[in-house]
Each structure stands twice: as C-alpha cells, then as structure tokens.
Amino acid sequence: MLQPPDLSLSLELPEITPAEFAQIQQLAREKFGLDLKPGKEKLVEARLWRLLRQGGYKNFHQLYRDIIRDTTGESLIALIDALTTNVTSFLREAEHLEFLATTVVPALWDRPTIDIWSCACATGEEVYSIAFVLLERFGHEIETRLQLLGSDISTRALRYAERAIYPESRLANLPPNWLQRFFLRGHGRMAGYYKVRPEICRLVKFERINLVEPFDHLPRFPVIFCRNVLIYFTPEARSECVPRLVDRLEAGGYMFTGLAETLSGTDARLAYVQPGVYRKKPARKLRRGGNDQWSDDGV
Ligand SMILES: C[S@@+](CC[C@H](N)C(=O)[O-])C[C@H]1O[C@@H](n2cnc3c(N)ncnc32)[C@H](O)[C@@H]1O
C-alpha cells in the first residue's frame, strides 16, 4: 500500500530521472499496455507528483518500489488513475452515433435486448451519449431493451461516470432541450450541475475492465465502442487486444474506434466500413467432420 503522507517533507518536488522513467514506463506497459514514449517524461512527472506528495516519497523510485511491493493492487490502481488521459465529451465523433442510430440499431430492432459495450468509457459521456441519441431517435420503445455496459481501467473515471453529475460547461454541445429531457438540474449546492435522469442511468452498468487482461466473462455484443484508447497502447498490446475484442463481437457486429484510428491489418475478421467503423465478417460456413461441426474463423 502507498504510505500515509509524511508532512515533515518539504514540498519541493523532484524531477524524474531517466532510470525512474524507464521503471514507470515498463510497469505501465506490462500492466496496462500503455505506451509512455520517450519525450513523455515531463507529463509522467507532472501526473505522478500528487502521488509522490501524498505518499511523502522523496523520489519516483520510492514510489515505484512501493507500487510493486503492494500486493493489494491498490497502488497500481492509483498509478493508472494518475497516468490515464480521460479526455472525452458528449456527442464526441457524432457521425458514429448517427451511423449507430440510422444503420446499426434498426437492423437489431427485432431483438429482445440491444446490447452495446463502451470499453473505455472514461467519465461516462460516451455511454450516456449513446443512450441519449437512441432515446431521441426511437423514443421510449427502446428504453426497455437498451442495455449498455460502460467499462474503463480508471476507477476514478468510473466513479465519476456512475455519479453521472456533470458541470454545465461539459454539456455545451448538447441540444438545449436535451438538458431538460435527459438531466435533472442541480439547485443550491449543486447549482450549475446536471445529473443524468435515473431512468437513463438504469440502462447503464459500469464495470472496471483492463483491456490488456482477459474479459471473456463478457457475452458477445452486436456493437462495441472502443474509441480513443488503443492509440495509447504499445503496438504489442494493441495487436494482442484487438482480436480479443473481436472475439466479444457477434458475427456481423460493429466496432467503433476513434475517427483518427485504424484497425486495418489487425484482425482478418474485421471489414472496414467507414472512418472509425468496422464490421465483423459473417461466420464462415460450418465444415462437417464426422458428427462434429466446425467453423474456421473462431467465432
Ligand atoms: C481518451 S479516453 C477515451 C474516452 C472515450 N472512449 C472517447 O472516445 O471519448 C481513454 C480512456 O481509456 C482508458 N484506458 C486506458 N488504458 C486502458 C486499459 N488498459 N484498459 C481499459 N481502459 C483503458 C483510460 O482510463 C481513459 O478513460
């Protein structure tokens, strides 16, 4: 566990040495798949200063040493919370939401449930945006069937997502009537804040999932949003993670990535549809082998 603060230490904060940076870099790569490239020293330093100060550590090596000694895993959680970039926004890359509402969901309409996984949902804006857009388009009819899973590695971001309370400034790109339709307005101490309505929050479950660790307890989804997270991974972590995500996608299901990202060449089961949109190819025909049946695409 990280140490309680030692208030006798001066507030002077040390710089990260090349050896200390290499230690953090290796840990982030092994445990979270993160690619802390050379040149990110100052960023890492700034993001870890709070942990350094809270723990009363004199240097980054002491912090690293306690993180790897901590068998509870809590220090690793604190590390990833400090290192991750949780930047997101409501209706980000809205063309994906449009495509979801006009092309993907109508084809799923006959199903009893419509399940969507946002696998790096950060502070929740992505997963709530999906709910808002689909509720706007399909009305209450979809409310009983929509099941959203929001996951992220950052417990801090997930706590924020679960609370579902956002300052007005973060709602600037939502149509004004959506504030009333999808949020409760804060008063008194909460003036200037909006809370997603409970009936919408009920459509979303949150879970902490590290994408570089197994997640095969999850069902297969017809839609996975995996936007703006793989860009932070090492090439090895990316090429190990993408096939496991595709495994969690139904045949014919859609995977969304950030508009600037490409999955081309990462998994033969994916076909490019449009920027940031991929579709898992239909399962190949079954081959017969005695009494057994096999398909050759692992779906
Ligand atoms: C820039 S945000 C993207 C949020 C949202 N998907 C969007 O596009 O607006 C990246 C998120 O990926 C999460 N993340 C980073 N490494 C991860 C990992 N190994 N497993 C799961 N989530 C991870 C971070 O905590 C962060 O919340």
Side-chain angles (χ1 to χ4, degrees), residues 4 43 47 56-57 65 86 119-120 156 163 269 276 281 291:
L43 180 80
R47 289 193 170 173
Y57 299 107
R65 188 201 53 202
N86 305 124
C119 74
R156 180 174 40 82
R163 254 177 97 223
R269 292 169 295 175
K281 296 172 188 165
N291 289 328

Side-chain angles (χ1 to χ4, degrees), residues 32-34 80 84-89 92-93 118-123 126 151-154 157 209-212 226-229 232-233:
F32 322 120
L34 290 185
I80 189 68
T84 48
T85 303
N86 305 124
V87 174
T88 184
S89 58
R92 184 178 192 184
E93 301 178 335
S118 159
C119 74
C121 71
T123 40
E126 179 172 273
S151 72
D152 200 279
I153 197 173
S154 164
I209 294 176
N210 181 351
L211 293 174
V212 301
C226 180
R227 300 191 304 173
N228 305 302
V229 55
Y232 298 106
F233 282 14

Side-chain angles (χ1 to χ4, degrees), residues 82-134:
L83 285 178
T84 48
T85 303
N86 305 124
V87 174
T88 184
S89 58
F90 284 103
L91 300 185
R92 184 178 192 184
E93 301 178 335
E95 42 277 73
H96 289 159
L97 301 171
E98 177 69 14
F99 184 82
L100 178 73
T102 54
T103 306
V104 181
V105 169
L108 303 173
W109 198 246
D110 293 337
R111 296 182 175 208
T113 62
I114 295 171
D115 301 82
I116 299 175
W117 178 25
S118 159
C119 74
C121 71
T123 40
E125 286 88 332
E126 179 172 273
V127 76
Y128 292 124
S129 297
I130 295 171
F132 299 160
V133 166
L134 295 181

Side-chain angles (χ1 to χ4, degrees), residues 13-292:
L13 290 163
E15 291 191 352
I16 196 162
T17 65
E20 289 168 335
F21 179 71
Q23 285 176 326
I24 300 289
Q25 195 183 33
Q26 191 198 348
L27 194 60
R29 188 187 317 122
E30 273 172 19
K31 301 288 182 187
F32 322 120
L34 290 185
D35 198 2
L36 301 176
K37 291 201 170 68
K40 298 241 174 182
E41 289 82 351
K42 286 287 157 204
L43 180 80
V44 169
E45 192 180 88
R47 289 193 170 173
L48 297 188
W49 267 340
R50 197 177 50 83
L51 292 184
L52 214 69
R53 205 167 31 208
Q54 278 175 347
Y57 299 107
K58 291 198 183 80
N59 55 50
F60 290 90
H61 174 70
Q62 288 181 355
L63 171 70
Y64 168 80
R65 188 201 53 202
D66 273 16
I67 292 172
I68 54 168
R69 276 188 193 159
D70 176 12
T71 51
T72 69
E74 278 182 35
S75 307
L76 267 178
I77 290 178
L79 178 70
I80 189 68
D81 275 351
L83 285 178
T84 48
T85 303
N86 305 124
V87 174
T88 184
S89 58
F90 284 103
L91 300 185
R92 184 178 192 184
E93 301 178 335
E95 42 277 73
H96 289 159
L97 301 171
E98 177 69 14
F99 184 82
L100 178 73
T102 54
T103 306
V104 181
V105 169
L108 303 173
W109 198 246
D110 293 337
R111 296 182 175 208
T113 62
I114 295 171
D115 301 82
I116 299 175
W117 178 25
S118 159
C119 74
C121 71
T123 40
E125 286 88 332
E126 179 172 273
V127 76
Y128 292 124
S129 297
I130 295 171
F132 299 160
V133 166
L134 295 181
L135 285 167
E136 174 74 7
R137 174 82 53 155
F138 300 102
H140 288 298
E141 252 189 290
I142 201 168
E143 208 172 308
T144 49
R145 286 188 283 156
L146 192 57
Q147 298 192 351
L148 301 167
L149 171 65
S151 72
D152 200 279
I153 197 173
S154 164
T155 45
R156 180 174 40 82
L158 284 174
R159 266 199 305 273
Y160 196 110
E162 242 163 342
R163 254 177 97 223
I165 298 174
Y166 298 91
E168 197 169 358
S169 55
R170 282 169 80 161
L171 310 178
N173 45 354
L174 291 179
N177 65 322
W178 285 21
L179 297 198
Q180 208 198 349
R181 180 144 185 230
F182 299 127
F183 291 85
L184 301 171
R185 188 150 62 90
H187 295 276
R189 209 168 50 88
M190 296 314 288
Y193 288 86
Y194 285 78
K195 179 163 174 52
V196 180
R197 286 183 179 270
E199 58 273 27
I200 299 172
C201 290
R202 276 198 287 275
L203 307 177
V204 190
K205 286 204 166 34
F206 289 102
E207 184 178 336
R208 181 176 188 266
I209 294 176
N210 181 351
L211 293 174
V212 301
E213 288 176 358
F215 42 75
D216 25 76
H217 63 287
L218 295 177
R220 288 216 169 94
F221 293 85
V223 182
I224 298 177
F225 275 70
C226 180
R227 300 191 304 173
N228 305 302
V229 55
L230 297 173
I231 37 165
Y232 298 106
F233 282 14
T234 61
E236 298 74 32
R238 238 171 85 85
S239 45
E240 190 271 335
C241 178
V242 173
R244 290 189 303 109
L245 285 168
V246 181
D247 287 346
R248 292 299 100 215
L249 199 59
E250 292 176 2
Y254 287 88
M255 180 126 117
F256 294 86
T257 66
L259 276 173
E261 300 174 88
T262 173
L263 291 182
S264 300
T266 52
D267 193 303
R269 292 169 295 175
L270 288 178
Y272 172 83
V273 178
Q274 65 180 58
V277 185
Y278 294 83
R279 188 167 194 198
K280 186 169 176 178
K281 296 172 188 165
R284 299 243 194 98
K285 262 197 164 163
L286 294 179
R287 289 180 183 172
R288 291 204 170 276
N291 289 328
D292 301 330

